[in-house]
Amino acid sequence: MTRKIIVFCLLGLISFQLKAQRKKKPNVLVIYTDDHRYSGVHALGGQAVVTPALDNLAHNGITFTNAYLQGAFSGATCVPSRAMLLTGRNLFQLDGIGRNIPTEHTLMGEAFMDGGYYAYHVGKWHQDHKSLARSANYGAKVSGTPAYLTDQYRMPYSDWEPEGKYKRENCYLLEFNDEGEVIRRPITKDDKRGPTGTEKTAPHVSEVLADEASMFISDYDKKKPFFMYLAFPTPHDPRQAPKKFKDMYPEDEIALLPSYMPQHPFDNGHIVLRDEQLAEWPRTNQIAKQHLSDYYAIISHLDAQIGRVIAALKETGQYENTIIVMAGDSGLAVGNHGLLGKQNIYNEDGIHIPLIISGGLIEEANKGRREGAFCYNYDVMPTICEMAGISTPASVTGSSLMPVINNEKEIVRDYTYHAYRQHQRAYRKGDYKLIEYVRAPDKDRKRGDLFTGSKVTQLFNIAKDPWETFNLADFPEYTQIVAQLRKEMKAKAIELGDVADGKRTNFDFWKYYNPSN
């Protein structure tokens, strides 16, 4: 009886909160980070990485502990990840691999502009330029397109183009002059790719974007509430960070994680690509520790910049009426399972992401709350539309998490399904996760047409083995569980439309999947 009364009171508090929001619409800040796995936030994964700003968001908000990227049909997993986040649509409903956003797919920024908001973009964009123009009223320091130098200190920026006409010749770099002042200069053909910049030559991209976001918040004086999409290109490699942050993580003192392996035990279909060529094989302890130290350093530096943005909200008195959503676009292996990249569907290595809903509008009773409901990044859009009291576009197919937040439901779905190219599929139900691999056709620029991958089945009990280190699939006592999950996974594939369509992929995983041999 007491529990019912408490739940009723909580519902009353949240209901009151949403009514208050309708009188004065809340500002909305969406922070999206790049290659930032769930355990890359100290408060979430309990690892050695230092993230006080993100920890505070978690302590003052609601964390969804089972939030995932659904997958990708491209090694550049950030492309579909952003397309899913920004449209609220699943992987199989995107246009191809997610590079282009059709006009019939309403973008998050468009929805908020239609709902009476002033939308502002800061940072990385990985979709077509026309969809960027549709996404905001204005923006600053667009990065990631149409030029990229693989250097966090030499990030090419573009000024906002209302019609989306971004050209390489209009990109510019920021750097320090002899007096230590930040100046801008055009990008030239002599600016070669590669991490050659340092904190002495130029400001770090995370600092530049935090400056822009903070300046916007401090100067904002419009009557409309604002919606800001702040997209950091870090902690993606190259994992450069100022020396004081790198010094926080001596390489010889770094503790390797439970799933560390010198080499992945089989060909997963995409074992040789750019991300995996960042270090030689096998991944020795020394190599893994160096990459993990670099990863933690750039995360801690990023965290400090996010802290500055949150501070700007508080200093201007806008924090109390702002919804803050923080999410990562994918996981990252950094030595786990012998991998370095995110081209896989292991949890921490590829698909498990931080998802925190925080800000001054979170009621005291909900602060520090952890919810284990299964969700994807494409559930963010319908959730924050509902929180802000604006209409969710008809093109959105994700599920709002508000029924979970409001204690009306414990879950919005009872499974997760994941795909990576034509070689990997995964299905999670309850405590168990099934991963199936196949040998399938592929194309390589240098090697031409070939077959890659291995026929392998993995079964993990995620509740007991969250790092996915012990494969249960071949043990007789798990035969029925494997069979049941295979049956359900195939049914979900049909339901989701997981087929080769010539735009997403020319090769159908299911054509090469035969569990009987």
Side-chain angles (χ1 to χ4, degrees), residues 39 50 80 130 144 147 180 201 212 239 248 258 267 275 302 312 324 337 340 351 382 392 413 416 446-447 466:
S39 58
V50 178
K130 289 184 178 179
T201 59
E212 292 291 348
R239 291 181 273 277
M248 294 168 61
D267 177 7
D275 286 34
L302 168 63
I324 302 170
H337 298 99
L340 288 179
I351 58 173
T392 300
R413 57 175 61 81
T416 66
K446 295 181 179 179
R447 295 181 290 168

Side-chain angles (χ1 to χ4, degrees), residues 12 28 35-36 67 76 83 94 122 177 194 208 219 231 234 254 266 281 318 466:
V28 178
D35 286 4
H36 197 166
L94 303 178
V122 180
N177 64 15
V208 171
D219 294 345
T234 53
I254 292 291
F266 57 88
W281 290 274
Q318 298 179 85

Side-chain angles (χ1 to χ4, degrees), residues 35 148 150 152 233 235-239 274-275 278 332 342:
D35 286 4
Y148 186 61
T150 320
Q152 309 298 7
H236 191 290
D237 71 89
R239 291 181 273 277
R274 192 203 73 90
D275 286 34
L278 293 174
L332 193 68
K342 66 270 190 176

